[in-house]
Amino acid sequence: MALNFLSSLFKKKPAVEEHEEMEELAEELEERVESREQEEALNQIMERINEIENDIPRMKIGIDTLKKNIQELRDEIERLDKTIKDVMMLYEVVSQEINPFKEQMAQENPLSHEVQELRKEIEDLKLEIAQVKNDIKVLAGYGVDIDSIIYEVLAEV
């Protein structure tokens, strides 16, 4: 019996047990490899996140600069639009003065007709003022009291 006991201690393990131990070792190695790969992937992800976090302030500054440039361009476009409108208005005024088809345009555009009437009235007023100036000069030359005439006219109005 003792011999059996001693022989059982030093006996070779069966192949099945040896195979199971090898599988356990292989599984343990695979788990270690997987955990190491996961750690490496996690480290790479963390590095990329840090890079992105570092890039965000620069990107924000870039975006703010672009917004400022866009607003400046909008303001410039508005100024150009206003200038173009002013030039077009000036062109219309000048072209109506020089245009040989002015009479046709006056008939087509009621606003230009009113402008022409106002110009005629202004010319008439200029002539009347010139006549009044001449009359005052003549009266002043004869020694007439112009101040009293002016006060009488103003009293009537």
Side-chain angles (χ1 to χ4, degrees):
M1 263 211 57
L3 187 59
N4 283 338
F5 174 72
L6 286 174
S7 66
S8 68
L9 286 176
F10 291 105
K11 253 190 200 177
K12 269 189 160 181
K13 294 184 180 175
V16 173
E17 284 182 19
E18 210 173 279
H19 182 64
E20 288 176 0
E21 284 182 15
M22 292 293 262
E23 284 181 6
E24 288 176 11
L25 285 174
E27 287 177 11
E28 187 178 318
L29 284 173
E30 286 178 11
E31 288 176 8
R32 285 183 183 175
V33 168
E34 283 181 23
S35 68
R36 185 168 288 150
E37 287 174 353
Q38 289 175 350
E39 286 178 17
E40 288 177 11
L42 185 62
N43 286 338
Q44 289 175 349
I45 291 171
M46 292 301 291
E47 287 176 15
R48 184 65 184 139
I49 288 173
N50 287 336
E51 290 174 11
I52 291 171
E53 285 178 347
N54 291 337
D55 289 343
I56 288 175
R58 281 183 253 139
M59 291 168 62
K60 184 176 181 193
I61 291 171
I63 289 171
D64 291 342
T65 303
L66 287 173
K67 284 180 181 178
K68 180 182 170 191
N69 290 343
I70 288 170
Q71 186 61 40
E72 288 174 0
L73 287 173
R74 283 184 182 153
D75 293 342
E76 184 66 24
I77 289 170
E78 286 176 11
R79 282 192 297 269
L80 288 172
D81 189 42
K82 184 180 180 297
T83 302
I84 289 171
K85 285 179 182 177
D86 291 345
V87 168
M88 289 302 295
M89 288 173 57
L90 181 62
Y91 170 78
E92 289 293 324
V93 169
V94 170
S95 68
Q96 286 181 3
E97 291 294 318
I98 299 172
N99 193 350
F101 304 106
K102 183 163 82 174
E103 292 175 10
Q104 288 178 346
M105 291 176 66
Q107 292 172 355
E108 294 171 7
N109 189 354
L111 183 61
S112 64
H113 180 67
E114 288 180 23
V115 169
Q116 293 299 328
E117 287 179 5
L118 288 173
R119 285 185 179 157
K120 184 180 177 193
E121 288 179 19
I122 290 171
E123 289 299 320
D124 292 343
L125 287 173
K126 285 181 181 178
L127 288 173
E128 282 186 45
I129 290 172
Q131 288 175 352
V132 169
K133 283 182 181 180
N134 288 334
D135 291 344
I136 291 174
K137 288 179 185 176
V138 169
L139 290 174
Y142 287 117
V144 177
D145 186 16
I146 297 174
D147 288 336
S148 63
I149 295 173
I150 291 173
Y151 288 127
E152 287 177 24
V153 170
L154 289 175
E156 289 176 10
V157 176

